[in-house]
Amino acid sequence: MSSATLELAQQLIRLRSITPEDAGCQDLIAQHLKPLGFALESMRSGEVTNLWARRGQARPLVCFAGHTDVVPTGPLDQWHSDPFAPSVREGKLYGRGAADMKSSIAAFICAAEEFVAAHPQHPGSIALLLTSDEEGVAVDGTVKVVEKLKARGELLDYCIVGEPTAAAKLGDTIKNGRRGSLSGKLVIKGVQGHVAYPHLVKNPVHLAAPALAELVATEWDRGNTFFPATSWQISNIHGGAGADNVTPNSLEVQFNFRYSTASTIESLRRRVLGILNKHGLDYALDWLHGAAPFLAAEGELVVAARGAVRAVTGIEPELSTSGGTSDGRFIIDICPQVLELGPVNASIHKLNEHIELDDLEALKSIYRQVLERLLLPT
């Protein structure tokens, strides 16, 4: 199988853009977009490369958003082929970024090329928003582009983020929102001492246990139509002096909320503090808010995406808000209708990451149909 989408995906995979490096991906993309009449604007921030590309000035503005950076490869000797030497075998394209998300970007571009060739005077506008800071700390990437666009009043009408959303088959899942992320670093203070003299120590592990058990058992909310119930999970716990006859001086617990729109940062913080205080703990607690939950309006974009998926694959997609965070949490600030639609996610961040060749072409066709359904008068 040979196609423009496959060729571009392979070219992008060859570039070692381990986050936050772009490694020339956006220059390659610009070479495809400039002949189509896109105005190109590089928005570098720190070590991060960002690209805003727009064709046209009229409304509505349809944007494709994604990232050119990839996660590290892991042990190279456990890959069946070089992760940065794209390999086609058994009907699949292998390489780092094949699913997350260089194939989506290739499909974006080839869909735009086909659409513009067929409709050079199309109504509305098309844009691409790309960053090399999605897989990393995400402080100099999409959020910076959104801030700049918002400051000059350049708002989006519709945005598709090309994250890998499919669970089993391409098109089976569309993400129309994501849960929020709120983390905490809790240090419970005690008094270190010899285990043989328990009356002289304050063991923070023992002191913390009832409070932690209550936090685990608490029902934070019941979710709602689009979101599952909020989840509180301990991710790391550490205490001890390294000897079996010494009680620790302190216990450190790191935890995370993945929370729905049925809760707020303030309500979660308040309830955690209430439980800790009820148990009379001596503690310090630092919070880190990673992302607010978002839910996009269910409007023309969802209708267009669902229709495109049905037309290309025959599948009726499910709307979902499951999974981790994405850059959609930033884009929602300037765009009322944001969704995520991309490849099967089974191999992302894993060894031997891949995408089905048929899915690569189908994804390009889905993106083109979305453009047609949103921009062409019926």
Side-chain angles (χ1 to χ4, degrees), residues 177-182 220-232 257-268 289 291-295 321:
R178 293 280 191 162
R179 293 174 294 174
S181 176
L182 176 64
W220 303 97
D221 60 48
R222 297 184 179 181
N224 51 38
T225 302
F226 288 101
F227 288 93
T230 291
S231 167
W232 184 86
F257 281 105
R258 290 302 163 106
Y259 70 100
S260 75
T261 51
S263 289
T264 65
I265 306 171
E266 292 75 18
S267 70
L268 296 174
H289 186 224
F294 76 90
L295 183 66
T321 60

Side-chain angles (χ1 to χ4, degrees), residues 190-214:
V191 176
Q192 180 177 307
H194 199 295
V195 297
Y197 301 94
H199 60 290
L200 299 178
V201 306
K202 287 177 64 176
N203 191 323
V205 179
H206 295 180
L207 296 173
L212 295 180
E214 184 171 347

Side-chain angles (χ1 to χ4, degrees), residues 62 115 158 300-301 303-312 365-378:
V62 182
F115 179 81
Y158 311 109
E300 298 90 345
L301 180 58
V303 172
R306 277 182 150 164
V309 169
R310 280 195 302 269
V312 174
S365 297
I366 290 170
Y367 292 155
R368 177 177 171 177
Q369 281 216 18
V370 170
L371 287 173
E372 292 171 346
R373 290 166 185 261
L374 292 174
L375 293 183
L376 299 182
T378 57

